[in-house]
Amino acid sequence: MSGERLIYLPLGGAGEIGMNCYVYGYGKPGRERLIVVDLGVTFPDMDSSPGVDLILPDITWLKENRDRIEAVFITHAHEDHVGAVGHTFEDLGARIHCRAFTANIARRKLEEYGVEGKSVKTASAWPATVKAGPFEVGFLPISHSIPESSALVIDSPAGRVIHTGDFKLDPTPLVGEPWDPALWAEVAKPGVRALVCDSTNVFSEHPGRSEASVGPAVEDLVANAKNMVVATTFASNVARVKTLAEAGERAGRSICLMGRAMRRMIEASVETGVLKGFPKVIAPEDAASIPRENLMLLVTGSQGERRAASAQLARGKYHGMELREGDLFLFSSKTIPGNERGVIRIMNQLSEQGVDVVDDSDGQYHVSGHANRPDLETMQTIVDPQIVVPMHGEHRHLREHTKLAQARGRKGVLAVNGMMIDLSGNAPEVVEYIETGRTYLDGSVQIGALDGVVRDRIRMALNGHVVVTVILDEDDEPLGEPWCDIMGLPETGRSHAPLIEVLEEDLSQYLGRAGAKILTDDDKLEDGLKKVARQTAQTEIGKKPEVTVIVSRLT
């Protein structure tokens, strides 16, 4: 191959669930032409990233190699695959290719950043392909929990790669294309060098269930409800939203969508033609005039998001609607690991209002959008790849999926974020390690995970904060006593005296002892005052707070 190679490089989504970003390249080492697959986000939590709005993959390597990027391809419209397109477009500048429904969502995200929607190109389904440098890329339909999900058929001079994206093997998905094993077998017939494959449910031993299996249980639950019914699910799971709406309609209830994401997804589905026959809905402002026993609300917030409709209803009111004793609230969703506390908090708040909460603990009201272990085995059998590269999963998922591939006689490689894999030879080989990480969207500013902003925020949250102010005269002598302001700390400590007074007394004594060598050097003075304040706080309250020292000199 004249020294040219085919590489795979995950920058997000390999070793974690969320924030997907994958790179493929072909050419001479270090000069490969590149395509990017997916630009997703993940979501912050108060423990590890307080105050952060979104978390993006660190695309420093891509920015450094921007002139080598041919195109970006988005497999589907979930936030962990498309959510970063607006935040990263200016840095990458490459055209974005995706199918119609995903393109609708991607254009809206770009427009939020003032980028024209024409930067997004709508692609047709396989066998149509998009030429991108040495690659030809086709969108191969696959079922998932959002319309128009597609695997990517990536052809290069080194062979064919199939990147599954997120998928399940669902013959009756209700919305979107069903799983078509004959089509997949036909695509695989010329030979597949590598299958880069979703690993999320590799530990689930039973075959995945179809979306169509949810309907009867939901319909029965809604039909037997006496008072108002509220249901939440992933807003992007358009098929589930339709199933819930149809169950409400058959029970004689008016349907109301609450939450911007829910309305946006249904609007996009209708605009692009993937959703037909959705029940008529009423506006949120009209819901209060409908008898409660004739009303069904479909709301956002299945993962406990604090600002979503579910959380606001649980706390009191949303769009003038209140929950009452005897109402029914259905979680038609699985709680993503890490979101348990937020979901349980909402459930308890609903319970305190006398609302009957139903979740999916018995498996009746939700099915996963990801392939289970037997489905992964089926995928490997049909595609028959030379190499299996697990992706979209935590490290334990990738490791187990690699073992599964090897047990079936295939070459498997465990590649986590930053591992550049050469797929050109008879066996995959790690050829380089790229520094990867996370970028935080903090308000309107992007900051690096190692910039220290979030670390300082966590330290202040854990330890509290003291501000010490000192004024020195023209002769470098203290002018009056130092004074303190405290935040996030108890007002009194072990001595039962006000903490501020104890701090100020000890700081004043330190200044009285300090000689000219310290008083004339701002750095030494600041270090000394910090040390005294932290030691005093440790003695009084058992904590060493963060300390900021302000030294003002009169001239």
Side-chain angles (χ1 to χ4, degrees), residues 18 48 88 103 108 114 144 147 179 209 231 255 288 292 333 378 404 418 424 439 470 491-492 498 551 555:
S48 63
T88 57
R108 296 183 190 211
H144 185 40
W179 159 243
R209 291 167 52 213
I255 308 302
R292 301 175 66 81
S333 55
T378 298
L404 174 65
S424 308
T439 299
V470 174
E491 292 185 1
T492 58
V551 177
T555 56

Side-chain angles (χ1 to χ4, degrees), residues 403-438:
K403 289 162 64 177
L404 174 65
Q406 292 170 340
R408 296 172 63 82
R410 307 185 194 284
K411 294 182 175 68
V413 57
L414 199 168
V416 296
N417 294 339
M419 279 189 184
M420 184 184 291
I421 308 296
D422 185 347
L423 299 173
S424 308
N426 291 324
E429 179 186 358
V430 180
V431 291
E432 194 174 342
Y433 291 91
I434 303 299
E435 187 171 331
T436 61
R438 299 180 161 208

Side-chain angles (χ1 to χ4, degrees), residues 333-511:
S333 55
K334 175 186 177 182
T335 302
I336 296 172
N339 293 341
E340 294 90 349
R341 279 194 291 180
V343 173
I344 290 172
R345 180 183 64 248
I346 289 175
M347 288 182 174
N348 280 316
Q349 288 172 329
L350 293 170
S351 180
E352 289 167 7
Q353 297 180 46
V355 175
D356 297 322
V357 178
V358 177
D359 63 12
D360 191 54
S361 54
D362 58 1
Q364 290 189 78
Y365 306 110
H366 177 69
V367 293
S368 175
H370 296 272
N372 291 354
R373 189 184 190 94
D375 309 317
L376 297 175
E377 293 174 337
T378 298
M379 176 64 81
Q380 287 188 29
T381 299
I382 291 175
V383 174
D384 193 23
Q386 179 183 341
I387 301 166
V388 175
V389 185
M391 54 102 183
H392 199 285
E394 298 167 359
H395 193 281
R396 62 194 180 98
H397 298 110
L398 305 187
R399 184 166 180 263
E400 183 66 19
H401 197 172
T402 303
K403 289 162 64 177
L404 174 65
Q406 292 170 340
R408 296 172 63 82
R410 307 185 194 284
K411 294 182 175 68
V413 57
L414 199 168
V416 296
N417 294 339
M419 279 189 184
M420 184 184 291
I421 308 296
D422 185 347
L423 299 173
S424 308
N426 291 324
E429 179 186 358
V430 180
V431 291
E432 194 174 342
Y433 291 91
I434 303 299
E435 187 171 331
T436 61
R438 299 180 161 208
T439 299
Y440 297 126
L441 180 66
D442 194 47
S444 59
V445 179
Q446 291 185 29
I447 57 175
L450 300 179
D451 288 357
V453 174
V454 173
R455 181 194 61 219
D456 289 347
R457 194 174 291 164
I458 292 171
R459 287 166 59 178
M460 284 190 285
L462 292 173
N463 302 317
H465 190 211
V466 175
V467 178
V468 178
T469 303
V470 174
I471 298 177
L472 302 177
D473 63 19
E474 298 91 335
D475 299 321
D476 296 318
E477 292 294 328
L479 188 64
E481 305 292 327
W483 71 89
C484 297
D485 294 292
I486 62 174
M487 294 181 67
L489 295 171
E491 292 185 1
T492 58
R494 289 176 182 165
S495 66
H496 303 296
L499 177 60
I500 286 179
E501 292 183 7
V502 178
L503 285 167
E504 291 174 348
E505 175 64 27
D506 287 357
L507 291 166
S508 180
Q509 290 185 18
Y510 171 77
L511 283 178

Side-chain angles (χ1 to χ4, degrees), residues 150-169:
S150 298
L152 298 180
V153 181
I154 303 171
D155 284 326
S156 76
R160 174 166 287 182
V161 173
I162 294 181
H163 181 105
T164 67
D166 295 2
F167 78 96
K168 65 184 295 186
L169 306 185

